[in-house]
Amino acid sequence: MRPEEILLPTSAGLYCGLGGFHIDPTRPVDKAVITHGHSDHARPGHGNVLATPETLDLMRLRYGDNFAGSVQAARYGESLSIGGATVTFHPAGHVLGSAQVAVEHDGLRIVASGDYKDVADPTCAPFELVPCDVFITEATFGLPVFRHGDPDGEIAKLLRSAALFPERAHLVGAYSLGKAQRVIALIRKAGYAQPIYLHGALETITRYYQDRGIALGALRLARDADKAELAGAIVLCPPSALNDLWSRRFPDPVTAFASGWMRVRARARQRGIALPLVISDHADWDGLTATIAATGAAEVWVTHGQEDALVHFSVTHGLAARPLALVGYGDEDETDDTMAGGATP
């Protein structure tokens, strides 16, 4: 059996004809299997959605109770028979509830990674290596220049700056799902015990993380604090808010942005970021290439990102490889920072 008889790239996303479902479809379909809750992967309007319980919860928070015709939850390691295919979810280590989707038929296993990272993160289940015949990998940071380094070291930079400028607020741009909560957890790990302030757009998802038992310490809404109270504070906000009118309420703010893209200093300069923090929820070049090799896959499909470099790496290491050129995916854009119905800053 050829892999394309199990999963086939289409204009709506990866399609499994055996089960009649799409993985992370880019437009409404009858049956959708969703890897995680970011808006470029988890869209509303499908007839039926299969995802982890956390991803379903996050979709409800973002889109409302009627985001799909019906839903079904699948826990990590649980195998489901859908038509002629067996589907199993495995932790992807990207954000809370994120999953790789293994699709099997007639002894052939294909793993669609969704987005993933292979480094420790206290806010989600760790990445699980799944041996397979075909590995479908993301390539968001699929160039050798992207080596993310030590996130604890990046947080140390933030805390040093906060100590050096106690009269200034530090505004940290962080995507609302996954990145913001991870940054808070890393700040707590470094021993910072003071309250951390949130932009209103981050409140709902961050509270959900806390409800799931993830310890994030004392959190306050920035809108409830006066300007004097915010001197010396660390404040998390959507990246789009860093240069918004909202930011003017803070005393002489230092702007920071937590993202793998901050490895490219020109991006930081273009956005006026004073303190770039290289912290990513995606695998870097070393993580991507190590994972490809460790899966044991003889064939690699590369999607949404720097596809050509990873295809070249795979081919030069004796693997069959192809770019999928799927349209509609990317790094979590700033639409992820607006909750359904809006949020008060």
Side-chain angles (χ1 to χ4, degrees):
M1 169 169 281
R2 297 169 57 247
E4 291 82 0
E5 295 177 64
I6 298 178
L7 280 179
L8 182 70
T10 71
S11 59
L14 287 166
Y15 178 66
C16 177
L18 292 168
F21 62 84
H22 289 78
I23 298 176
D24 292 348
T26 57
R27 62 171 186 252
V29 298
D30 289 338
K31 296 180 182 179
V33 174
I34 304 297
T35 62
H36 67 283
H38 281 137
S39 61
D40 59 333
H41 291 256
R43 293 169 167 87
H46 305 305
N48 175 267
V49 168
L50 174 68
T52 64
E54 295 85 358
T55 294
L56 294 176
D57 286 344
L58 291 163
M59 291 182 75
R60 286 189 192 94
L61 290 176
R62 291 198 143 164
Y63 303 127
D65 290 339
N66 299 318
F67 68 87
S70 62
V71 300
Q72 182 178 358
R75 300 191 179 278
Y76 294 136
E78 178 182 358
S79 294
L80 302 171
S81 179
I82 305 177
T86 299
V87 176
T88 310
F89 283 25
H90 301 270
H94 179 54
V95 298
L96 186 63
S98 61
Q100 305 168 80
V101 179
V103 183
E104 299 180 64
H105 177 74
D106 198 23
L108 182 66
R109 177 188 291 164
I110 303 177
V111 170
S113 71
D115 290 337
Y116 67 98
K117 68 174 180 292
D118 59 339
V119 297
D121 180 348
T123 66
C124 65
F127 176 83
E128 177 184 322
L129 184 69
V130 184
C132 55
D133 302 290
V134 180
F135 184 54
I136 305 175
T137 182
E138 63 139 313
T140 302
F141 293 109
L143 289 173
V145 67
F146 291 112
R147 289 179 164 90
H148 297 326
D150 176 21
D152 292 327
E154 299 299 294
I155 293 299
K157 286 167 40 179
L158 170 65
L159 297 182
R160 281 196 298 270
S161 182
L164 186 61
F165 301 107
E167 73 285 1
R168 305 177 69 181
H170 281 65
L171 307 186
V172 182
Y175 297 117
S176 62
L177 170 53
K179 183 64 64 61
Q181 297 76 30
R182 184 181 179 208
V183 167
I184 294 169
L186 288 169
I187 291 171
R188 297 305 188 199
K189 178 185 175 185
Y192 186 88
Q194 299 177 51
I196 294 173
Y197 292 82
L198 300 178
H199 185 286
L202 307 186
E203 180 186 11
T204 300
I205 290 178
T206 302
R207 299 300 184 194
Y208 175 74
Y209 268 64
Q210 289 182 305
D211 290 343
R212 298 292 299 182
I214 296 169
L216 299 176
L219 303 176
R220 297 179 184 172
L221 291 175
R223 65 170 176 257
D224 296 335
D226 58 35
K227 194 166 187 176
E229 183 182 349
L230 294 168
I234 294 175
V235 185
L236 269 70
C237 64
S240 58
L242 289 172
N243 298 311
D244 193 33
L245 287 173
W246 173 87
S247 67
R248 298 182 185 178
R249 65 185 299 171
F250 299 94
D252 194 15
V254 177
T255 57
F257 185 16
S259 172
W261 296 113
M262 292 297 96
R263 177 61 68 194
V264 181
R265 297 308 183 193
R267 289 204 178 208
R269 290 193 297 270
Q270 289 165 2
R271 299 188 68 135
I273 302 300
L275 189 61
L277 305 174
V278 184
I279 301 173
S280 178
D281 286 335
H282 296 261
D284 64 3
W285 174 259
D286 290 336
L288 292 166
T289 55
T291 300
I292 287 171
T295 63
E299 188 167 345
V300 178
W301 299 354
V302 186
T303 184
H304 53 279
Q306 305 292 336
E307 299 180 350
D308 290 346
L310 271 185
V311 168
H312 177 74
F313 167 86
S314 300
V315 170
T316 57
H317 285 76
L319 306 176
R322 58 180 287 197
L324 294 186
L326 296 174
V327 176
Y329 305 99
D331 191 37
E332 303 87 308
D333 66 24
E334 291 171 12
T335 61
D336 265 332
D337 300 312
T338 303
M339 298 297 298
T344 304

